[in-house]
Amino acid sequence: MNRVVAALFARVFFLTALLTAPPALAPTAAQPAPLGDPRTMIFDPVTITVPEVERVVLENGMIVYLLPDRELPLVTVSAMIRTGAIYEPADKVGLAGLTGIVMRTGGTARLTGDQVDEELEFLAANISMGIGAESGSASLDLLKKDLSQGLAIFADMLRAPAFESAKVEQAKRQALEAIRRRPDSPGGITAREFRKLLFGADHPLGRESTTDTVSRTTRDDLVAFHRQFFAPNSLILGVTGDFEKPAMLDALRKAFGDWQPQPVALPALPPVTASSGPGAGRSVNILRRDLSQTHLRIGHLSVKEDDPDYFALALLEDILGGNSFTSRLFRDVRSRQGLAYSVGSRIAPGNAGPGVFMLHALTKGPSTYQALSSMLDHMEHLRQEPVSTEELQLAKDAFLNSFVFSFADSGLIVGRLMGLEYHGLPKDFLQRFRDSVVRLTKEDLLRVARLHLHPDRVIILAVGKDNDFEKPLSTFGRITVLTLKPGG
Amino acid sequence: MQRLLIAMIGLVLLTGAAAAATLEERVVEHRLANGLTLLLMERHQAPIVAVNLTYKVGGVHEHNGITGVAHLYEHMAFKGSRTIGVTDATQEKPVLEELDRLAEAITAEKARGTAADRTRLAALRKQFAETETKADGFVVPAELATLYQRHGGVGLNATTGKDLTRYFLSFPSNRLPLWAAVESDRMANGVLREFYKEKNVVLEERRQRTDNSPSGRLHEAFSAAAFQAHPYGLPVIGWPSDLDGLSKARTEAFFQTYYGPANAVLAIVGDINQKDVIALVEQTFGRIPARPPSPPVLTIEPPYAGERRVEVEYAAEPQILIGFHKPGADHPDDDVFDVIDSLLSEGRTSRLHKRLVQEKQLATSVSTFSDYPGAQYPNLFVIGATPRAPHTAAEIEQALYEELDRLKKEPVTPRELEKILNQVDAAQVRALRSNSGMASRLGYFQAINGDWRETFKQRDRIARVSPEDIRRVAAQYFTKSNRVVATLVKPAKQETESKP
């Protein structure tokens, strides 16, 4: 026993000396750890070598990023396409999503949809295709040896999808069933209703598909939507994995080179008028569901990604509820009060339209008022008092020391460059983010909190059983009771 | 042509096997004197490292009365130790002990049911609240997570399943000493502070994942119906009343029993130097004293005698789960089920997807699970499906049984088997793309199969499965008397919205 203790002390002494950190002894009788106190450990800064990514523009306007990474015999080709559900007609909401799905399932000029699946799955190759709100995306991931076969299918799918009628019908039926099942997921209801409140139920960023809009959509609509947006000049491609650049460029030219460019018009997004401006006050919205747990969202529109205050606001949001375990919302609403398992905040900076700043939690019906009240207090508090020195330092350290994970693999590096180019942001955006985080002060955060956080005019949404709430939510603002429409 | 095809297949097989061999050579195994297994893989793509600490403990080690204890302990492991997460552990101790006495008095009083003394209960609760506030005064909130985050830790989290409890994160590789100090400390000297509040957090987790989730409810009832004796039938999240009554003493005893170093597998993958890490882990985790082996799970589910069917009423669209009892990880038939699993539901060309989703369009999705709800002990092969209106769960059930009967009658084609092997090969290559994925794989196979090499041998085991094996296994296990069926149905009087 004595020998063990002596040996441990010897290690403590040796290792703390190595780490050049003071052997800060805890003021308790607890056994000292063999490496010294982890709170006082000091390490060299994390250095990152960012690999050079080549950007090539093909003759037909297609932009290609290339970053070879020879560790594994795999190749990944990903694409961003200038399109999105925000460009679909209002009476055919869901069209963009269906187009993406059937491009993947509905065959090409050379192969039927079923043949495509057979061929890809036999090679264990993956192709995905989808169209989201503000962009389209596609990816091909396969073993290097299968590249030419996979790339041919991938190019065909992007350039000349066949939109087989049976697959169109199948996708529509699936979409209709998904609409039928929307009421089963309280989280889904909450997310969609909140977007409607923020952007307006008719705005391209707020609207949702319905039984009507999906039923009305035809194969011809899918064909036309594809024709309108898919062109080489509206594509950004990123290639990573095991390849030689010249050979890859040859392969890409062979697959896409004779695809003719065409003008692609992206209509401007209508302005968002639904949300409250200054002086509008808070709105409290209740959607009654027979649940033992209330889904809460609190938020308002926020900055675009290119806003000079975005970086400061993002760090502020980390402190409020972004960082798990250590954020104010997690520590108070979850750990101290035990009111929630899921609680936090989020900032989604805008690109095509405005961004969103929001707080969210799930809490049992009888603690809805308490949770909501605490969350609003935290939001208000950020405007009243500067964050503490320790909080700011932790948020900065966490950001800067984990920065290396933004470069953890080649796919991340290339994917980011594609996204930045797509959204018209500078290619050194992340570096600027980092540099500005280093410089941020408590005063900066207080300034952006006062300028960009508006607890006095937030939209509040509570989905749950309001009979169970311990107090009515009317003290927070005027209550509107929402109803869920069948089929929408 | 035919010959050429066979030659090509041979080549592909070789490539797959060769890739596995090289990967296998990159793994170093080291056993500490206290029994902890350390698995290391160097991967120098970026200056980062992923760690995965897996304990062979989970819901399977519980029984009614203490359900949820493994998962609750996992939450408690983030609350710190005698030095982390506290201002003064010596002064904190008597306050926590007083709190536990009050909690046990409350539980005892409540257990008297209608005879409970309400005045006494109220007084105890008041005292409890005051003492809890006193205990809060010693808490340094989230200090453990703060240390990790400050040093760039990402993905800090943990999971509790039937067989395993797993703790993991990634961080810059030069911070490994910090991680070793913090992690070995919390695993040896954990203090159950904020215990009673965390129960409320877990109850919220239960409301989110089970009580207000149609599929959560269905799965809970399905497992309970399938296992009448074996603890796989108990919910990992815990029955609410068990959580409410769970004492700190029971939780602490559970930790002492199952968190010994011999029950732990520590997998570290990334930009590391194997020798340095072994030394570091010896200095830290090596100090944790060995503990007696944890007791084995003795209960064996008695053989089935007849189909079991359970209906779960909930105001939601229908779902169905069908399970067949099958052996656990150590039985050769387990590999056959892995093949059947892929055959039936892996990808769009899989049999069930093709038949139910594409051709008959009875379902919007269909999936299978070959080790449900756990992998270690005899378990279930499960098929789950979501009917597409107006089709019913009964129609799906019928179509599923037709497909299972096909497995019993017609031999599976060589091309189908070859496709599965190709997918296993590719999956093994892709597994190395992420440090955390690889660490998780190594830790999983070491903990469940007793040997991390199984992750690389999986391919050979699957290659050995023959069409006849599949036919035999299907005929033996996919029988009516061996199955359990659970369906989600709407209550007779549907009420989806509460009245104002």
Side-chain angles (χ1 to χ4, degrees):
Chain A
M1 179 65 194
N2 271 340
R3 270 240 295 278
V4 175
V5 174
L8 289 175
F9 273 103
R11 282 196 196 121
V12 169
F13 178 77
F14 177 68
L15 274 157
T16 39
L18 265 187
L19 290 164
T20 65
L25 288 171
T28 67
Q31 232 182 9
L35 298 180
D37 190 332
R39 283 167 288 221
T40 52
M41 287 183 179
I42 296 165
F43 299 97
D44 290 337
V46 186
T47 49
I48 308 164
T49 334
V50 183
E52 199 60 43
V53 182
E54 191 170 342
R55 180 181 178 278
V56 177
V57 184
L58 300 189
E59 294 67 21
N60 59 12
M62 185 187 284
I63 296 159
V64 182
Y65 286 96
L66 300 132
L67 177 57
D69 170 2
R70 320 300 291 265
E71 188 195 13
L72 301 168
L74 293 162
V75 175
T76 306
V77 184
S78 49
M80 284 187 85
I81 305 104
R82 293 195 183 278
T83 180
I86 54 176
Y87 304 118
E88 66 197 2
D91 62 340
K92 286 177 183 165
V93 178
L95 166 60
L98 285 171
T99 305
I101 289 167
V102 187
M103 281 175 67
R104 171 64 186 80
T105 61
T108 67
R110 275 178 270 200
L111 297 170
T112 68
D114 292 344
Q115 285 170 335
V116 165
D117 289 337
E118 263 314 322
E119 202 160 314
L120 291 177
E121 289 187 8
F122 192 76
L123 302 175
N126 301 324
I127 290 186
S128 71
M129 208 141 293
I131 301 180
E134 296 185 21
S135 66
S137 62
S139 77
L140 163 72
D141 181 65
L142 40 48
L143 292 165
K144 171 194 180 180
K145 65 178 178 60
D146 304 321
L147 179 66
S148 60
Q149 211 172 337
L151 190 60
I153 297 175
F154 186 65
D156 282 351
M157 240 181 226
L158 286 166
R159 298 178 56 170
F163 293 109
E164 289 163 12
S165 299
K167 299 291 183 186
V168 175
E169 285 315 304
Q170 191 192 336
K172 282 175 66 177
R173 290 195 196 110
Q174 294 257 6
L176 291 172
E177 182 63 25
I179 292 171
R180 274 172 45 76
R181 285 178 180 264
R182 278 181 189 162
D184 296 353
S185 161
I189 294 172
T190 309
R192 280 189 308 276
E193 292 302 315
F194 196 62
R195 285 191 75 81
K196 282 194 227 167
L197 291 166
L198 283 169
F199 296 105
D202 296 325
H203 192 274
L205 287 168
R207 68 195 178 191
E208 60 177 355
S209 62
T210 64
T211 308
D212 286 344
T213 64
V214 171
S215 302
R216 196 179 286 138
T217 301
T218 65
R219 178 182 177 274
D220 288 347
D221 294 323
L222 272 63
V223 171
F225 193 85
H226 171 266
R227 194 182 301 134
Q228 189 183 349
F229 294 103
F230 282 73
N233 46 311
S234 65
L235 228 78
I236 303 172
L237 222 57
V239 193
T240 55
D242 190 1
F243 62 86
E244 299 280 353
K245 282 184 197 170
M248 179 55 74
L249 280 170
D250 283 350
L252 293 176
R253 283 202 171 90
K254 196 178 143 212
F256 295 104
D258 59 348
W259 191 7
Q260 294 307 308
Q262 66 172 56
V264 176
L266 298 172
L269 206 57
V272 177
T273 52
S275 284
S276 42
R282 286 175 185 158
S283 82
V284 181
N285 304 273
I286 295 177
L287 183 71
R288 290 181 181 134
R289 305 292 295 166
D290 190 11
L291 303 166
S292 63
Q293 194 175 43
T294 311
H295 286 244
L296 281 173
R297 287 205 176 186
I298 305 168
H300 51 57
L301 297 179
S302 192
V303 297
K304 288 198 169 199
E305 199 159 6
D306 60 3
D307 190 297
D309 283 344
Y310 167 57
F311 304 138
L313 201 52
L315 204 73
L316 189 73
E317 190 274 329
D318 280 349
I319 294 171
L320 173 64
N323 282 338
S324 64
F325 297 101
T326 60
S327 72
R328 289 182 176 186
L329 291 176
F330 193 102
R331 279 164 46 171
D332 180 33
V333 179
R334 175 167 153 153
S335 300
R336 195 181 72 79
Q337 300 190 64
L339 295 180
Y341 168 70
S342 298
V343 60
S345 62
R346 200 181 305 158
I347 179 163
N351 286 299
V356 176
F357 190 98
M358 61 171 270
L359 293 73
H360 54 91
L362 278 74
T363 190
K364 62 185 177 298
S367 53
T368 303
Y369 183 96
Q370 192 187 343
L372 184 52
S373 171
S374 296
M375 290 160 81
L376 280 167
D377 284 350
H378 281 292
M379 198 174 174
E380 181 61 44
H381 196 68
L382 287 176
R383 293 170 47 92
Q384 300 303 332
E385 280 184 43
V387 299
S388 73
T389 309
E390 296 75 31
E391 278 178 309
L392 178 62
Q393 197 54 49
L394 171 62
K396 283 186 176 191
D397 286 348
F399 179 87
L400 297 171
N401 284 328
S402 66
F403 197 66
V404 59
F405 286 96
S406 305
F407 305 90
D409 66 63
S410 47
L412 270 178
I413 297 167
V414 166
R416 182 167 44 247
L417 288 173
M418 292 164 67
L420 292 172
E421 171 143 14
Y422 186 90
H423 293 300
L425 295 164
K427 67 176 185 223
D428 63 346
F429 184 79
L430 205 60
Q431 195 55 44
R432 293 189 198 191
F433 201 153
R434 190 188 181 283
D435 295 346
S436 86
V437 164
V438 172
R439 286 193 303 269
L440 285 173
T441 64
K442 289 192 274 184
E443 292 69 34
D444 292 329
L445 297 199
L446 188 62
R447 182 187 62 78
V448 296
R450 287 179 173 159
L451 191 61
H452 295 291
L453 299 193
H454 309 291
D456 57 326
R457 51 175 204 262
V458 285
I459 292 169
I460 296 170
L461 172 63
V463 176
K465 203 169 175 179
D466 58 342
N467 272 348
D468 290 349
F469 298 173
E470 74 276 37
K471 281 186 203 171
L473 305 187
S474 47
T475 45
F476 298 115
R478 232 182 67 132
I479 290 183
T480 307
V481 175
L482 308 175
T483 46
L484 215 54
K485 288 184 208 127
Chain B
M1 181 63 196
Q2 191 74 349
R3 272 254 285 283
L4 181 69
L5 193 68
I6 291 165
M8 276 170 60
I9 292 161
L11 189 70
V12 173
L13 291 180
L14 260 178
T15 327
T22 356
L23 275 180
E24 197 173 325
E25 284 160 16
R26 287 171 65 180
V27 180
V28 168
E29 178 179 351
H30 178 79
R31 186 73 46 89
L32 271 60
N34 60 16
L36 184 139
T37 305
L38 176 61
L39 304 173
L40 303 167
M41 185 185 248
E42 292 193 21
R43 189 168 173 258
H44 300 286
Q45 260 54 35
I48 51 176
V49 63
V51 292
N52 183 304
L53 178 55
T54 298
Y55 282 88
K56 287 180 249 180
V57 60
V60 76
H61 302 104
E62 299 172 351
H63 52 78
N64 275 319
I66 64 160
T67 60
V69 66
H71 173 247
L72 181 63
Y73 189 84
E74 175 237 288
H75 277 234
M76 296 313 296
F78 289 81
K79 298 293 187 183
S81 66
R82 289 201 280 275
T83 46
I84 302 282
V86 64
T87 53
D88 186 334
T90 314
Q91 288 190 42
E92 179 194 41
K93 199 162 181 254
V95 181
L96 290 182
E97 283 165 359
E98 172 64 8
L99 199 59
D100 298 342
R101 272 194 295 276
L102 291 165
E104 298 208 17
I106 291 170
T107 306
E109 193 61 49
K110 271 166 64 182
R112 296 174 63 206
T114 46
D117 180 345
R118 288 189 179 188
T119 325
R120 178 158 186 267
L121 256 182
L124 282 170
R125 285 194 169 120
K126 186 165 170 273
Q127 240 183 311
F128 180 88
E130 287 162 7
T131 313
E132 197 169 46
T133 309
K134 224 165 121 190
D136 283 352
F138 297 105
V139 172
V140 181
E143 187 170 27
L144 184 138
T146 300
L147 274 168
Y148 282 147
Q149 270 176 19
R150 181 188 298 155
H151 288 280
V154 298
L156 173 66
N157 216 331
T159 59
T160 309
K162 296 287 182 193
D163 304 317
L164 305 177
T165 305
R166 322 192 71 186
Y167 300 84
F168 43 88
L169 79 152
S170 298
F171 49 90
S173 43
N174 69 345
R175 317 283 150 124
L176 212 55
L178 174 112
W179 164 82
V182 173
E183 201 73 359
S184 61
D185 178 40
R186 76 157 154 164
M187 293 306 169
N189 308 309
V191 173
L192 305 188
R193 59 176 64 93
E194 297 183 297
F195 177 78
Y196 301 98
K197 290 178 184 179
E198 200 62 21
K199 282 188 184 186
N200 290 327
V201 173
V202 171
L203 283 169
E204 289 292 354
E205 186 177 358
R206 190 188 150 85
R207 285 185 194 102
Q208 183 177 337
R209 294 189 194 277
T210 308
D211 299 341
N212 294 296
S213 157
S215 63
R217 287 191 179 214
L218 184 66
H219 280 272
E220 186 171 275
F222 175 69
S223 293
F227 297 95
Q228 297 184 343
H230 194 269
Y232 271 172
L234 303 171
V236 170
I237 191 91
W239 302 118
S241 50
D242 282 0
L243 277 170
D244 184 48
L246 191 60
S247 73
K248 200 191 278 177
R250 290 303 285 270
T251 310
E252 180 67 34
F254 189 84
F255 166 73
Q256 291 298 340
T257 309
Y258 292 103
Y259 271 80
N263 260 359
V265 179
L266 176 50
I268 305 180
V269 178
D271 183 28
I272 52 166
N273 175 297
Q274 290 169 355
K275 275 189 190 150
D276 293 352
V277 177
I278 290 173
L280 183 68
V281 170
E282 284 282 3
Q283 281 161 15
T284 49
F285 288 87
R287 294 171 70 230
I288 302 174
R291 287 193 203 161
S294 50
V297 176
L298 295 175
T299 310
I300 297 169
E301 187 71 16
Y304 248 44
E307 181 188 46
R308 287 175 200 161
R309 299 189 78 92
V310 56
E311 276 192 346
V312 176
E313 287 191 358
Y314 193 73
E317 298 300 317
Q319 293 179 29
I320 182 166
L321 290 173
I322 301 170
F324 297 90
H325 282 263
K326 69 177 252 296
D330 55 353
H331 194 283
D333 285 351
D334 206 42
D335 300 329
V336 185
F337 278 105
D338 284 343
V339 174
I340 293 177
D341 185 31
S342 298
L343 198 62
L344 291 182
S345 74
E346 182 73 44
R348 296 167 207 263
T349 62
S350 62
R351 290 183 169 201
L352 294 183
H353 186 88
K354 248 159 100 175
R355 186 57 57 89
L356 273 79
V357 180
Q358 304 229 47
E359 291 169 23
K360 298 192 172 185
Q361 303 197 16
L362 299 175
T364 54
S365 70
V366 56
S367 45
T368 59
F369 316 89
S370 63
D371 293 306
Y372 183 103
Q376 186 92 71
Y377 300 97
N379 50 50
L380 302 171
F381 182 85
V382 171
I383 307 170
T386 311
R388 186 181 71 79
H391 300 288
T392 61
E395 285 174 76
I396 289 199
E397 209 182 331
Q398 194 48 47
L400 282 173
Y401 295 152
E402 283 167 20
E403 275 304 312
L404 296 183
D405 282 342
R406 246 184 86 202
L407 282 180
K408 299 173 191 173
K409 289 173 193 150
E410 302 166 19
V412 172
T413 64
R415 189 177 159 91
E416 279 176 298
L417 291 180
E418 206 185 316
K419 180 177 76 183
I420 292 168
L421 268 187
N422 290 349
Q423 286 170 355
V424 173
D425 284 338
Q428 295 216 332
V429 178
R430 288 186 174 117
L432 238 202
R433 274 183 168 160
S434 105
N435 292 338
S436 56
M438 197 67 215
S440 171
R441 252 172 116 104
L442 293 173
Y444 179 87
F445 280 90
Q446 179 67 32
I448 294 287
N449 299 69
D451 188 354
W452 55 269
R453 289 172 194 84
E454 291 298 321
T455 184
F456 304 113
K457 288 181 186 154
Q458 201 184 11
R459 180 199 193 279
D460 293 338
R461 285 191 281 116
I462 282 178
R464 276 197 294 272
V465 173
S466 71
E468 174 50 27
D469 288 331
I470 293 168
R471 207 202 50 75
R472 174 185 57 81
V473 162
Q476 183 182 338
Y477 296 94
F478 294 150
T479 63
K480 185 180 179 212
S481 63
N482 188 39
R483 81 184 171 218
V484 54
V485 181
T487 48
L488 192 74
V489 299
K490 286 186 181 169
K493 204 179 145 212
Q494 191 190 333
E495 190 191 11
T496 48
E497 290 184 39
S498 59
K499 299 288 171 286

